[in-house]
Coordinates of all heavy atoms in Angstrom, one line a residue:
E308 N 19.4 -7.6 -10.3 CA 19.7 -6.3 -10.9 C 19.6 -5.2 -9.8 O 20.3 -4.2 -9.9 CB 18.8 -6.0 -12.1 CG 19.1 -6.8 -13.3 CD 18.5 -8.2 -13.2 OE1 17.9 -8.6 -12.2 OE2 18.7 -9.0 -14.2
N342 N -12.3 -11.9 -1.5 CA -12.8 -13.1 -2.0 C -14.2 -12.9 -2.8 O -14.3 -13.4 -3.9 CB -13.0 -14.1 -0.9 CG -12.8 -15.6 -1.4 OD1 -12.2 -15.8 -2.4 ND2 -13.4 -16.5 -0.6
E352 N -16.6 -5.2 -17.7 CA -16.1 -4.8 -19.1 C -15.2 -3.6 -19.0 O -14.5 -3.3 -20.0 CB -17.4 -4.4 -19.9 CG -18.3 -5.6 -20.2 CD -19.4 -5.2 -21.1 OE1 -19.5 -4.0 -21.5 OE2 -20.3 -6.0 -21.4
D504 N 16.2 23.3 -3.1 CA 17.1 22.2 -2.9 C 18.1 21.9 -4.0 O 19.1 21.3 -3.8 CB 16.3 20.9 -2.6 CG 15.5 21.0 -1.3 OD1 15.7 21.9 -0.5 OD2 14.7 20.1 -1.1
R515 N 10.7 23.0 -18.7 CA 9.8 22.0 -19.2 C 8.4 22.5 -19.2 O 7.6 22.3 -20.1 CB 9.9 20.8 -18.3 CG 11.1 19.9 -18.6 CD 11.2 18.8 -17.5 NE 10.9 17.5 -18.0 CZ 11.1 16.4 -17.4 NH1 11.6 16.4 -16.2 NH2 10.8 15.2 -17.9
I552 N 8.1 42.9 -13.9 CA 7.4 42.6 -12.7 C 5.9 42.6 -12.9 O 5.3 43.4 -13.6 CB 7.7 43.7 -11.6 CG1 9.2 43.7 -11.3 CG2 6.9 43.6 -10.4 CD1 9.6 44.8 -10.4

Side-chain angles (χ1 to χ4, degrees):
E308 290 80 1
N342 210 23
E352 295 183 0
D504 298 349
R515 283 172 110 169
I552 297 176

